[in-house]
Amino acid sequence: MNKILAEAITQRTNDIYILPTIEGKYVIKFHVDGRSIVFKNISEEEAQLMISAIKYRAKMNISERRRPQLGRFQYTGIWIRVSSVGDFLNRETIVLRMIYQQQGEQQWLVPNQFEQLYALLPNSGLFLVSGPTGSGKTTTLYRLLNKVSENKLVLTIEDPVEIQQPNFVQLQVNEDAEIFYDDLIKVALRHRPEVLLVGEIRDGKTARAAIQAALSGHLVLSTVHAMSARDVILRLQDLGVEKTKIATALSGVAYQRLVPTCDNQQAAVIDLLDSDDINNTLDGNPVPKFSKKWQEVLDDAVSNNQISQKTYQTYQAL
């Protein structure tokens, strides 16, 4: 297993999948830069030994094969989140999420987009960055935090801490001890931070706690999974946050993706939701899924040979 983890890290893999295929066979796949790559096919016996070893390291119940389980462990300083579940044939599926501590320099499809994002950052309120797993959201948030943190108390709450920053107070969710995001947000506010980072809003309790922190005058940065900047509003409503509180607390929304470039790199691109679009979405008025600016960035990138025609079509059709 260590050889597989080492190879995954070398390839900067986002996720490792261990999946049953036909009877008696499993496949190991790497999810890299938005693509699934078959790494290796193994027998069911090999898979069971590997899965048991992973679950042992992640402090999960080895004998439980059907109920969903979550765990985590560290390998060479990298946190690995583990999710397991059994299918209808009682075959286990394992997904390992790689959490890299140190992020590389962030490349942008349009160099000044990060500065535009920073210029929109409010003094208080809730600012959200959305996008799928592995789209660079945390890297962007930490760059923003580094720019606003001078002479300010910055407190982060994450699961787990992805980027170590000695100038910040960094707290970590501990589900085994029943210490969750909403619990730590309440504790954090007693420290009176000027800037608060909530690693991810993924349930109603966390959403409401983050909104309440923003309403109390703090600058709160967080991430949320949504299909576009516009859909962040709908996601918050799905989580049970009242429209009036969203309208008052939400100060900005960005949707981010990492786009493969023609020089075999990745570049970030963002779409921003302005205050008018936030209010129109809350009022139920039609708002495009993506702004004209998103289309313009893609048009310029393909015409300048930064991205391929295939990549252009993929991100145009989101």
Coordinates of all heavy atoms in Angstrom, one line a residue, residues 81 126-133 135-142 157-159 162 181 196-203 206-207 210 220-226 232 235-236 239 253-254 256:
R81 N -7.9 11.2 4.0 CA -9.2 10.9 4.4 C -9.7 9.7 3.7 O -9.6 9.5 2.5 CB -10.2 12.1 4.2 CG -9.9 13.3 5.0 CD -11.0 14.3 5.0 NE -11.3 14.8 3.7 CZ -11.5 16.1 3.5 NH1 -11.5 17.0 4.5 NH2 -11.8 16.6 2.3
L126 N -19.9 37.2 5.0 CA -19.5 35.9 4.5 C -19.1 35.9 3.1 O -19.8 36.4 2.2 CB -20.7 34.9 4.7 CG -20.5 33.5 4.3 CD1 -19.4 32.8 5.1 CD2 -21.8 32.7 4.4
F127 N -17.9 35.4 2.8 CA -17.4 35.3 1.4 C -17.1 33.9 1.1 O -16.3 33.2 1.8 CB -16.1 36.1 1.3 CG -15.6 36.4 -0.1 CD1 -16.1 37.5 -0.8 CD2 -14.8 35.4 -0.7 CE1 -15.7 37.6 -2.1 CE2 -14.4 35.6 -2.0 CZ -14.9 36.7 -2.8
L128 N -17.7 33.3 0.1 CA -17.7 31.9 -0.2 C -17.0 31.7 -1.6 O -17.2 32.4 -2.5 CB -19.1 31.3 -0.3 CG -19.9 31.3 1.0 CD1 -21.3 30.8 0.8 CD2 -19.2 30.5 2.1
V129 N -16.2 30.6 -1.6 CA -15.6 30.1 -2.8 C -16.1 28.7 -3.0 O -16.0 27.8 -2.1 CB -14.0 30.1 -2.7 CG1 -13.4 29.5 -4.0 CG2 -13.5 31.5 -2.5
S130 N -16.7 28.5 -4.2 CA -17.3 27.2 -4.5 C -16.5 26.5 -5.6 O -15.6 27.1 -6.2 CB -18.8 27.3 -4.9 OG -18.8 28.1 -6.1
G131 N -16.9 25.2 -5.8 CA -16.2 24.5 -6.9 C -16.0 23.0 -6.4 O -16.2 22.7 -5.2
P132 N -15.7 22.1 -7.3 CA -15.6 20.7 -6.9 C -14.3 20.5 -6.1 O -13.4 21.3 -6.0 CB -15.5 20.0 -8.3 CG -15.0 21.0 -9.2 CD -15.5 22.3 -8.7
T133 N -14.2 19.3 -5.6 CA -13.0 18.8 -4.9 C -11.8 18.9 -5.8 O -11.9 18.6 -6.9 CB -13.2 17.4 -4.4 OG1 -14.3 17.3 -3.5 CG2 -11.9 16.9 -3.7
S135 N -10.3 21.8 -6.8 CA -10.3 22.9 -7.7 C -9.4 24.1 -7.2 O -9.5 25.2 -7.7 CB -11.7 23.4 -8.0 OG -12.4 23.7 -6.7
G136 N -8.7 23.9 -6.1 CA -7.8 24.9 -5.6 C -8.4 25.9 -4.7 O -7.9 27.0 -4.4
K137 N -9.6 25.6 -4.1 CA -10.3 26.6 -3.3 C -9.5 27.0 -2.1 O -9.4 28.2 -1.7 CB -11.7 26.0 -2.9 CG -12.6 25.7 -4.0 CD -14.0 25.2 -3.5 CE -13.9 23.9 -2.7 NZ -13.5 22.8 -3.5
T138 N -9.0 26.0 -1.4 CA -8.2 26.3 -0.1 C -7.0 27.1 -0.4 O -6.7 28.0 0.4 CB -7.9 25.0 0.6 OG1 -9.1 24.2 0.9 CG2 -7.1 25.2 1.9
T139 N -6.3 26.8 -1.5 CA -5.1 27.6 -1.8 C -5.5 29.0 -2.1 O -4.8 30.0 -1.6 CB -4.5 27.0 -3.1 OG1 -4.1 25.7 -2.9 CG2 -3.2 27.8 -3.5
T140 N -6.6 29.3 -2.8 CA -7.0 30.7 -3.0 C -7.4 31.4 -1.7 O -7.0 32.5 -1.5 CB -8.3 30.6 -4.0 OG1 -7.9 30.1 -5.2 CG2 -8.8 32.0 -4.1
L141 N -8.1 30.7 -0.8 CA -8.5 31.3 0.4 C -7.3 31.6 1.3 O -7.3 32.7 1.9 CB -9.4 30.3 1.2 CG -10.9 30.2 0.7 CD1 -11.7 29.2 1.5 CD2 -11.6 31.6 0.7
Y142 N -6.3 30.7 1.3 CA -5.1 31.1 2.1 C -4.3 32.2 1.5 O -3.7 33.0 2.2 CB -4.2 29.8 2.2 CG -4.5 29.1 3.5 CD1 -5.5 28.2 3.6 CD2 -3.7 29.3 4.7 CE1 -5.8 27.5 4.8 CE2 -3.9 28.7 5.9 CZ -5.0 27.8 5.9 OH -5.2 27.1 7.1
I157 N -10.6 27.0 11.0 CA -11.2 25.7 11.4 C -11.3 24.8 10.2 O -12.0 25.2 9.2 CB -12.6 26.0 12.0 CG1 -12.6 26.9 13.2 CG2 -13.3 24.6 12.4 CD1 -13.9 27.4 13.6
E158 N -10.6 23.7 10.2 CA -10.5 22.8 9.0 C -10.7 21.4 9.4 O -10.6 21.0 10.6 CB -9.2 23.1 8.3 CG -9.1 24.5 7.8 CD -7.7 24.8 7.2 OE1 -7.5 24.4 6.1 OE2 -6.9 25.4 8.0
D159 N -10.8 20.5 8.4 CA -11.0 19.1 8.6 C -10.3 18.3 7.4 O -11.0 17.9 6.5 CB -12.5 18.7 8.7 CG -12.7 17.2 8.9 OD1 -11.8 16.6 9.5 OD2 -13.8 16.7 8.5
E162 N -5.1 21.9 6.1 CA -4.4 21.6 4.8 C -3.1 22.3 4.6 O -2.2 21.8 4.0 CB -5.4 21.8 3.7 CG -6.6 21.0 3.7 CD -7.4 21.1 2.4 OE1 -6.8 21.4 1.4 OE2 -8.6 20.9 2.5
Y181 N -17.5 21.3 13.1 CA -17.4 22.6 12.7 C -18.2 23.6 13.5 O -17.6 24.7 14.0 CB -17.8 22.8 11.2 CG -16.7 22.5 10.2 CD1 -16.8 21.4 9.3 CD2 -15.6 23.3 10.1 CE1 -15.8 21.1 8.4 CE2 -14.6 23.1 9.2 CZ -14.7 22.0 8.3 OH -13.8 21.7 7.4
L196 N -12.1 34.9 10.1 CA -12.4 33.5 10.5 C -12.5 32.7 9.2 O -13.2 33.0 8.3 CB -13.7 33.3 11.3 CG -14.1 31.9 11.6 CD1 -13.1 31.2 12.5 CD2 -15.5 32.0 12.2
L197 N -11.7 31.6 9.0 CA -11.8 30.7 7.9 C -12.5 29.4 8.4 O -12.0 28.7 9.3 CB -10.4 30.3 7.3 CG -10.4 29.1 6.4 CD1 -11.1 29.5 5.1 CD2 -9.0 28.7 6.0
V198 N -13.6 29.0 7.8 CA -14.3 27.8 8.0 C -14.0 26.9 6.8 O -14.4 27.2 5.7 CB -15.8 28.0 8.2 CG1 -16.5 26.6 8.4 CG2 -16.1 28.9 9.4
G199 N -13.3 25.8 7.0 CA -12.8 25.0 5.9 C -13.9 24.6 4.8 O -13.7 24.8 3.6
E200 N -15.0 24.2 5.3 CA -16.1 23.8 4.4 C -17.4 23.9 5.1 O -17.6 23.4 6.2 CB -15.8 22.4 3.9 CG -16.9 21.9 2.9 CD -16.6 20.4 2.5 OE1 -15.6 19.8 2.9 OE2 -17.5 19.9 1.8
I201 N -18.4 24.4 4.4 CA -19.8 24.4 4.8 C -20.5 23.2 4.2 O -20.7 23.2 2.9 CB -20.5 25.7 4.5 CG1 -19.9 26.9 5.3 CG2 -22.0 25.6 4.7 CD1 -20.5 28.2 4.9
R202 N -20.8 22.2 5.0 CA -21.4 21.0 4.3 C -22.6 20.5 5.1 O -23.2 19.4 4.7 CB -20.3 19.9 4.3 CG -19.7 19.5 5.6 CD -18.5 18.6 5.4 NE -17.9 18.1 6.7 CZ -16.7 17.7 6.8 NH1 -15.9 17.7 5.7 NH2 -16.2 17.4 7.9
D203 N -23.1 21.2 6.0 CA -24.4 20.9 6.7 C -25.0 22.2 7.2 O -24.4 23.2 7.2 CB -24.2 19.9 7.8 CG -23.2 20.3 8.9 OD1 -23.4 21.4 9.4 OD2 -22.3 19.6 9.2
T206 N -23.4 24.0 10.3 CA -22.2 24.8 10.0 C -22.6 26.0 9.2 O -22.1 27.1 9.5 CB -21.2 23.9 9.2 OG1 -20.9 22.7 9.9 CG2 -19.9 24.7 8.9
A207 N -23.5 25.9 8.3 CA -24.0 27.0 7.5 C -24.6 28.1 8.4 O -24.2 29.3 8.3 CB -25.0 26.6 6.5
A210 N -21.8 29.8 10.5 CA -20.9 30.7 9.7 C -21.7 32.0 9.4 O -21.1 33.1 9.5 CB -20.5 30.0 8.4
V220 N -15.8 36.3 7.4 CA -15.8 34.8 7.4 C -15.6 34.3 6.0 O -16.4 34.7 5.1 CB -17.1 34.2 8.0 CG1 -17.1 32.7 8.0 CG2 -17.4 34.8 9.4
L221 N -14.5 33.5 5.8 CA -14.3 32.9 4.5 C -14.5 31.4 4.6 O -14.2 30.8 5.6 CB -12.8 33.1 4.1 CG -12.3 34.6 4.1 CD1 -10.8 34.6 3.6 CD2 -13.1 35.5 3.2
S222 N -15.1 30.9 3.6 CA -15.4 29.4 3.6 C -15.6 28.9 2.2 O -15.6 29.7 1.2 CB -16.6 29.1 4.4 OG -16.8 27.7 4.6
T223 N -15.7 27.6 2.1 CA -15.9 26.9 0.8 C -17.2 26.2 0.9 O -17.7 25.8 2.0 CB -14.8 26.0 0.4 OG1 -14.8 24.8 1.3 CG2 -13.4 26.6 0.5
V224 N -17.8 25.9 -0.2 CA -19.1 25.1 -0.3 C -19.1 24.4 -1.7 O -18.6 25.0 -2.7 CB -20.3 26.0 -0.1 CG1 -20.5 27.0 -1.1 CG2 -21.6 25.1 0.0
H225 N -19.6 23.2 -1.7 CA -19.7 22.5 -3.0 C -20.9 23.0 -3.7 O -22.0 22.8 -3.2 CB -19.7 21.0 -2.8 CG -18.3 20.5 -2.5 ND1 -17.3 20.4 -3.4 CD2 -17.8 20.0 -1.3 CE1 -16.2 19.9 -2.8 NE2 -16.5 19.7 -1.5
A226 N -20.8 23.5 -4.9 CA -21.9 24.0 -5.8 C -21.5 23.9 -7.2 O -20.3 24.0 -7.5 CB -22.4 25.3 -5.3
V232 N -24.5 28.5 -5.4 CA -24.2 28.7 -3.9 C -25.4 29.2 -3.1 O -25.6 28.7 -2.0 CB -23.0 29.6 -3.8 CG1 -22.8 30.0 -2.3 CG2 -21.7 28.9 -4.3
R235 N -27.7 26.4 -2.7 CA -27.1 25.4 -1.7 C -27.4 25.9 -0.3 O -27.8 25.1 0.6 CB -25.7 25.2 -2.0 CG -24.9 24.3 -1.1 CD -25.4 22.9 -1.1 NE -24.7 22.0 -0.3 CZ -25.2 20.9 0.3 NH1 -26.5 20.6 0.1 NH2 -24.4 20.2 1.1
L236 N -27.1 27.1 0.0 CA -27.4 27.6 1.3 C -28.8 27.5 1.7 O -29.2 27.2 2.9 CB -26.9 29.1 1.4 CG -25.4 29.4 1.3 CD1 -25.2 30.9 1.3 CD2 -24.7 28.7 2.5
L239 N -29.6 24.1 2.7 CA -29.1 23.8 4.0 C -30.0 24.4 5.1 O -29.6 24.2 6.3 CB -27.7 24.2 4.1 CG -26.7 23.4 3.3 CD1 -25.3 24.0 3.4 CD2 -26.6 21.9 3.7
V253 N -19.4 35.9 -3.7 CA -19.3 34.5 -4.0 C -18.4 34.3 -5.3 O -18.5 35.1 -6.2 CB -20.7 33.9 -4.3 CG1 -20.6 32.4 -4.7 CG2 -21.7 34.1 -3.2
A254 N -17.6 33.3 -5.2 CA -16.8 33.0 -6.4 C -16.9 31.5 -6.7 O -17.0 30.7 -5.7 CB -15.3 33.4 -6.2
Q256 N -14.7 28.5 -8.6 CA -13.4 28.3 -9.1 C -13.2 26.9 -9.7 O -13.7 25.9 -9.2 CB -12.4 28.5 -8.0 CG -10.9 28.3 -8.4 CD -9.9 28.7 -7.4 OE1 -10.1 29.8 -6.8 NE2 -8.9 27.9 -7.1

